[in-house]
Amino acid sequence: MRTFILYIAPAILLLATSATANEYPELSFGGYIMVDHDQFSDLFLEDEQNSNNGTDIRRARLSAKAKFNDDWRSKFQIDIADGDIDIKDAYIQYQGISWATITVGQQKEPFGLEKLTSSSDTFMIERSMVTEALAPGRSMGVKLGGTPGNFTWNLGYFQDDNSQNSQGITGRLTWALVDGDDNFIHLGSALSERQLKGDEFRINETLEVYSSDSLLEGTRLDAEAMSLASIELMWQYLGVVSMAEWIETDIDDPTRGTYHYQGGYYQMSYPLSGKNRRYKDGKLDTIKAKHDWELTWRVSQFELEQEDRKAQTFAVGVNYLVDKDLMFKANLIRAKYQDDGETFGYDNAFSFRAQYSF
């Protein structure tokens, strides 16, 4: 699949160059950079000798988008935060069918409301534990999707770029009532059936603090199959957004049996301007405002049933939107976790992000 990306990426750039030569106005380039700093207590560490803070260039992304005509579009995005070039998006999209859009290439799988929300538009600095641990991200594949009436649907076949074995079928269906001011109520659900064919699978997740240690560690499984399911609820009215999601998975290991993992979150946000976020095609966008403050909070939990491990976090945050390009975020996270019946915490962490888009 990596070889396929190496072919499709130059094709996208060649089409983009052709678009420029023909003076199409739809060609655009952009990107964003995020710089994070974390401070946290010993609760967030496996070894108390490790550092209690960390500063990282969390993301540094460059993208090119092109619309070649009314039917054909493409996107190519890379991340260079770790010094290596990591291809994130590389796809071509055809919109010439009345009932469906076809997307081919590396793209986000249609699973998870929080996962499908861009990292530049999330309420909190980090996504919830369950989203990071279970929701599939970008994969190579082909996807069909449409927006009939108040519904959106997406269905695709995907293969993990890091494995020749892992493949799956993922689909998502949403329903929403939306008025002209983006006040809405949204319901959704997603399913993914995956064949892993002996690939290793292991939960290894932090307590929603990127620079801290991964305390939620699961059993190393030689996974044969994986079933994922989620349900999502969201509403927005006069700026207030309320969002909840629950995700469960069963993973089959021929030797160890079936392992069950589950978790969810509930989060809210309110911009002091009272402006709504934009809602489109079953996903939430950012706030279009200047000098706006946004108050946020989230409660989340994640459970590893067979390992008898569980974690809970409560976070409050404030986001300052200088303009559409510059934003600052600050989160205070309070967490606890249980391991084999023993409870550790609550204790605190602080995260800060400076985010610039161009």
Side-chain angles (χ1 to χ4, degrees):
M1 284 299 173
R2 174 63 65 180
T3 302
F4 181 76
I5 293 180
L6 293 177
Y7 280 110
I8 195 174
I12 293 173
L13 293 177
L14 179 61
L15 288 171
T17 304
S18 299
T20 304
N22 290 288
E23 298 183 352
Y24 286 99
E26 292 81 1
L27 179 64
S28 63
F29 297 91
Y32 56 87
I33 184 169
M34 300 173 177
V35 179
D36 291 0
H37 177 75
D38 299 323
Q39 288 280 155
F40 41 86
S41 70
D42 290 342
L43 172 75
F44 295 81
L45 296 172
E46 290 181 314
D47 184 349
E48 294 183 3
Q49 300 302 314
N50 293 340
S51 175
N52 291 80
N53 62 80
T55 301
D56 300 278
I57 298 178
R58 187 72 170 86
R59 296 177 179 90
R61 297 189 177 172
L62 303 171
S63 63
K65 296 180 181 179
K67 179 179 178 182
F68 313 119
N69 53 45
D70 291 339
D71 296 334
W72 290 94
R73 301 168 185 253
S74 72
K75 181 179 179 181
F76 181 64
Q77 183 186 71
I78 61 172
D79 188 280
I80 55 175
D82 297 324
D84 298 323
I85 296 178
D86 183 20
I87 298 175
K88 308 304 290 186
D89 294 312
Y91 61 76
I92 295 176
Q93 192 174 80
Y94 179 64
Q95 300 181 344
I97 304 174
S98 61
W99 56 273
T101 295
I102 304 172
T103 308
V104 180
Q106 180 152 302
Q107 58 192 289
K108 280 189 176 182
E109 295 190 32
F111 192 103
L113 178 59
E114 190 180 32
K115 193 71 169 184
L116 291 171
T117 302
S118 170
S119 57
S120 60
D121 298 330
T122 55
F123 297 174
M124 317 302 290
I125 290 176
E126 297 296 329
R127 295 184 176 97
S128 64
M129 295 176 287
V130 66
T131 294
E132 288 295 329
L134 298 184
R138 289 174 168 88
S139 301
M140 283 296 306
V142 56
K143 179 184 70 179
L144 276 72
T147 56
N150 296 325
F151 291 89
T152 70
W153 66 272
N154 288 275
L155 181 65
Y157 169 82
F158 301 94
Q159 183 172 356
D160 188 342
D161 187 48
N162 297 315
S163 169
Q164 295 300 314
N165 296 326
S166 178
Q167 53 192 316
I169 295 175
T170 304
R172 179 174 181 251
L173 177 68
T174 72
W175 171 88
L177 287 178
V178 189
D179 68 14
D181 297 320
D182 279 324
N183 298 303
F184 66 84
I185 182 170
H186 160 108
L187 305 174
S189 182
L191 298 171
S192 184
E193 292 292 330
R194 314 178 80 81
Q195 296 297 318
L196 305 182
K197 300 180 181 179
D199 278 354
E200 181 182 294
F201 180 91
R202 188 188 185 199
I203 299 294
N204 196 31
E205 198 59 46
T206 70
L207 303 182
E208 298 174 356
V209 179
Y210 179 74
S211 300
S212 66
D213 292 340
S214 300
L215 298 178
L216 282 175
E217 296 183 349
T219 305
R220 293 182 185 272
L221 302 175
D222 295 322
E224 188 67 26
M226 180 178 185
S227 297
L228 275 163
S230 74
I231 186 169
E232 53 192 62
L233 308 171
M234 181 171 58
W235 62 265
Q236 177 172 251
Y237 183 71
L238 300 180
V240 177
V241 183
S242 181
M243 180 192 302
E245 191 169 6
W246 186 263
I247 304 176
E248 295 189 3
T249 187
D250 287 314
I251 301 172
D252 295 327
D253 182 311
T255 303
R256 298 178 180 272
T258 300
Y259 277 65
H260 184 77
Y261 303 124
Q262 62 181 4
Y265 65 85
Y266 177 68
Q267 60 184 343
M268 295 185 68
S269 79
Y270 176 67
L272 299 186
S273 67
K275 291 187 176 182
N276 282 336
R277 288 173 176 247
R278 188 185 179 202
Y279 176 85
K280 184 179 181 182
D281 298 340
K283 293 180 286 187
L284 199 61
D285 206 340
T286 190
I287 304 169
K288 304 298 183 183
K290 289 185 178 181
H291 305 294
D292 196 7
W293 294 87
E294 182 183 30
L295 307 178
T296 63
W297 71 271
R298 178 175 67 205
V299 58
S300 71
Q301 70 175 53
F302 187 38
E303 180 180 0
L304 288 64
E305 190 172 287
Q306 278 67 31
E307 292 89 341
D308 192 21
R309 291 173 183 152
K310 181 188 296 185
Q312 296 176 331
T313 67
F314 177 75
V316 294
V318 58
N319 303 330
Y320 177 53
L321 292 79
V322 179
D323 53 34
K324 65 182 181 65
D325 298 325
L326 182 62
M327 179 188 298
F328 298 97
K329 295 182 177 182
N331 291 171
L332 178 64
I333 304 101
R334 190 164 174 81
K336 72 172 182 178
Y337 72 98
Q338 300 173 6
D339 190 347
D340 197 22
E342 186 177 359
T343 300
F344 302 88
Y346 280 100
D347 219 332
N348 302 322
F350 174 79
S351 296
F352 175 81
R353 167 172 293 170
Q355 172 180 315
Y356 180 71
S357 302
F358 52 90

